[in-house]
Amino acid sequence: MMEKPIPPADGECCESACEPCVWDSYYEEMRLWQEEQKRLKEQEKNGRQQDDSEPVK
């Protein structure tokens, strides 16, 4: 499981329009992290639904 990305610290961006900028990297990492969180949440939800459908003994 990925750790939530940490935004660049003050001064890490040189504001010179670098390609890629530290902010570009951060936003891409954040997007990947959010996708993983969504997938994990769906897996957890689906696991609960399967548990609910199993008969109680």
Side-chain angles (χ1 to χ4, degrees):
M1 182 160 81
M2 294 174 57
E3 289 188 27
K4 186 174 182 178
I6 299 170
D10 291 342
E12 279 191 74
C13 176
C14 64
E15 298 185 23
S16 296
C18 295
E19 197 57 46
C21 176
V22 293
W23 284 103
D24 295 332
S25 300
Y26 167 73
Y27 289 128
E28 176 63 15
E29 291 173 9
M30 182 61 91
R31 183 188 65 77
L32 294 171
W33 181 82
Q34 288 172 331
E35 285 178 5
E36 181 185 56
Q37 296 303 303
K38 181 179 178 182
R39 182 180 50 79
L40 291 171
K41 189 177 259 187
E42 288 173 3
Q43 285 178 346
E44 183 179 308
K45 179 182 171 185
N46 291 337
R48 278 196 214 134
Q49 287 176 349
Q50 288 176 357
D51 291 345
D52 292 345
S53 64
E54 292 178 11
V56 178
K57 295 180 182 180

